[in-house]
Amino acid sequence: MSLDGWREGLFQLCWRQHGGSGLGATLSEALDLSTTDRDWLLERVGQQRQREAREIEKAGRRR
């Protein structure tokens, strides 16, 4: 993994979207994760954000 990829992963784990969506882990918590747990969480966060985006899109079409 590149340094930029590692940094991006930390950002995704720690960043909290407007409205509180996301994990919002502290940098210390993210750094303490095992590589396996970190990778799983990054994949899962990506899936959740895709689901939320689809739901927002569906809600917008119902108006």
Side-chain angles (χ1 to χ4, degrees):
M1 174 180 289
S2 70
L3 181 57
D4 283 342
W6 181 78
R7 287 177 174 156
E8 181 62 29
L10 284 176
F11 176 80
Q12 288 182 36
L13 291 175
C14 297
W15 184 60
R16 186 179 305 244
Q17 290 178 270
H18 179 71
S21 180
L23 292 178
T26 67
L27 183 56
S28 179
E29 291 168 337
L31 289 170
D32 284 341
L33 290 170
S34 69
T35 306
T36 303
D37 288 342
R38 182 206 61 212
D39 291 349
W40 183 89
L41 284 167
L42 287 171
E43 184 174 329
R44 184 63 183 87
V45 165
Q47 292 169 356
Q48 187 63 31
R49 288 184 177 154
Q50 288 175 355
R51 284 185 203 158
E52 290 176 5
R54 283 193 303 267
E55 291 301 317
I56 290 169
E57 189 177 309
K58 278 198 311 194
R61 283 184 275 177
R62 289 184 216 152
R63 294 181 184 183

